[in-house]
Amino acid sequence: LLINFVCSAQARGFGDVVKEKILVFATDQGMLDIAQGLGLRAFYDEKIFEKMPEKAAGRYGDQAFTQMMYAKVVTVQLINRLGYDVLFQDVDLVWYKNPLTIFHDENDPLYAFDMLFQDDGARSLRYAPYSANTGFYYVRNNNKTKFLFRSLLYLGDMVLSMTSHQQALGALLDEHSSLTGLRVKTLPAADFPGGYHYHRKKEIDSMKDIVRGKHVPYLLHMSWTTNKKNKLVFLQQMGLWYVNDKCISGGGVEVANGLSHNDSEGDLESACCSAEPVIKCHYRDKPSVEQCKDSSAPTIDKDAKSFW
């Protein structure tokens, strides 16, 4: 998924921005090799991350998932503590437009907010009141955000008990908005859609507008999706997958290892990236590009109708 983010950014004209701005926190040697093979800046410390799971989580909230959630807290807190604004994002997304432009625009009303989050879509009490998705959010560096992330860092037990840092952070956002005047904004879903919008039948029209180019969001985040395998196939049928098949097996680690041994930093991009999207039609009931309109692919949801 990291390879696809870089490949898609390069194909869509954001490659230079990504390579200049992205810092990857690698939690194992294999991910470090991939990041460096893509020409990205990366940080890895074996003592810090030696107990982190190497395999992807099987589902939301399992042990591997929960362990990774606390690592996400630490990465943002470190950058924030060093005095920088930071955009945190998961790797299961693709940019349609460079989102940094909207966060850096001093004339945009969003510039007045301390923290800005993608809309998760969930409206349950667990994620109230902001429904903040912690897979894509922007943090401005100031004393209010430093205090918040220092507080979150000390709530490791809360993250473990809730199986995710999302609810813990959501509770702190509510508390600190009152305590310190922290200004929090949930970004418009139409411009920052996620898996909630991808999978919900009532969002079919908005997804068709995106596919047809009638509306161009900043990104699509494949959240609300069971596992890595499903994220990959949904990105493929949305025309958002740019990784050659040889680099999918093993997450690209074997290809990256071969390059790193030859000191070929950055060459993973040329080995793995496709200039055009690799489109495959997997499930006719899920949003897809128009090439899949007449596909005879099966449905994934019970009694589901075709997206088209």
Side-chain angles (χ1 to χ4, degrees):
L1 291 171
L2 173 63
I3 298 174
N4 186 61
F5 173 72
V6 174
C7 294
S8 65
Q10 187 66 34
R12 291 167 173 266
F14 313 125
D16 291 342
V17 174
V18 165
K19 289 183 179 178
E20 178 187 355
K21 297 294 186 181
I22 291 289
L23 172 62
V24 176
F25 278 82
T27 55
D28 57 60
Q29 184 63 48
M31 182 54 66
L32 178 65
D33 290 340
I34 289 174
Q36 292 179 338
L38 291 167
L40 300 175
R41 296 180 178 90
F43 173 83
Y44 173 64
D45 187 291
E46 186 175 0
K47 289 185 178 180
I48 295 176
F49 295 120
E50 63 179 347
K51 294 185 179 181
M52 297 301 298
E54 293 187 9
K55 293 184 178 180
R59 58 177 175 79
Y60 179 93
D62 68 13
Q63 186 175 6
F65 181 92
T66 303
Q67 285 182 267
M68 198 61 69
M69 292 305 100
Y70 192 70
K72 291 183 177 184
V73 173
V74 174
T75 57
V76 178
Q77 192 274 336
L78 284 173
I79 301 300
N80 177 256
R81 183 67 181 85
L82 289 171
Y84 296 96
D85 295 352
V86 56
L87 169 64
F88 176 88
Q89 67 168 54
D90 290 339
V91 293
D92 57 341
L93 54 77
V94 170
W95 290 0
Y96 286 86
K97 299 185 290 188
N98 178 4
L100 292 174
T101 57
I102 195 171
F103 300 134
H104 293 168
D105 184 359
E106 296 184 17
N107 296 316
D108 193 292
L110 294 178
Y111 196 80
F113 291 91
D114 301 305
M115 299 181 68
L116 302 102
F117 289 83
Q118 181 184 32
D119 185 353
D120 183 78
R123 295 295 184 264
S124 62
L125 182 62
R126 175 181 171 93
Y127 300 113
Y130 297 107
S131 189
N133 185 289
T134 49
F136 182 89
Y137 64 98
Y138 190 82
V139 183
R140 302 196 193 281
N141 177 262
N142 56 43
N143 288 333
K144 295 176 184 178
T145 57
K146 285 181 178 178
F147 181 35
L148 180 136
F149 277 100
R150 187 167 64 249
S151 301
L152 182 59
L153 190 69
Y154 296 153
L155 293 177
D157 56 339
M158 187 175 181
V159 174
L160 290 174
S161 66
M162 294 178 172
T163 70
S164 172
H165 69 312
Q166 187 170 351
Q167 187 177 356
L169 178 54
L172 284 182
L173 292 176
D174 190 22
E175 177 183 347
H176 282 237
S177 64
S178 176
L179 181 65
T180 68
L182 182 78
R183 300 198 68 188
V184 182
K185 177 68 173 178
T186 305
L187 295 164
D191 290 326
F192 296 86
Y196 174 87
H197 311 93
Y198 180 83
H199 293 293
R200 299 276 287 189
K201 297 305 179 185
K202 68 178 183 179
E203 301 290 342
I204 283 180
D205 289 341
S206 64
M207 293 306 301
K208 285 184 178 178
D209 284 345
I210 292 174
V211 169
R212 289 169 169 161
K214 292 181 178 180
H215 175 68
V216 182
Y218 280 94
L219 56 86
L220 177 63
H221 179 195
M222 200 54 70
S223 55
W224 280 66
T225 303
T226 308
N227 51 43
K228 180 180 176 180
K229 178 183 177 181
N230 282 0
K231 292 173 189 283
L232 187 156
V233 299
F234 295 146
L235 289 171
Q236 283 181 334
Q237 67 180 51
M238 276 294 290
L240 299 176
W241 188 258
Y242 291 82
V243 181
N244 295 321
D245 287 349
K246 69 177 182 179
C247 296
I248 295 177
S249 178
V253 174
E254 292 181 7
V255 178
N257 285 341
L259 293 173
S260 63
H261 293 158
N262 296 319
D263 296 323
S264 302
E265 187 170 296
D267 282 355
L268 188 59
E269 180 184 322
S270 59
C272 292
C273 292
S274 170
E276 299 295 330
V278 180
I279 298 172
K280 298 181 181 180
C281 307
H282 297 277
Y283 301 107
R284 68 177 186 272
D285 57 323
K286 293 296 182 181
S288 61
V289 293
E290 291 199 60
Q291 289 95 314
C292 296
K293 191 172 184 178
D294 299 320
S295 170
S296 59
T299 60
I300 189 172
D301 294 332
K302 185 178 180 180
D303 299 325
K305 297 180 180 179
S306 172
F307 172 71
W308 290 105

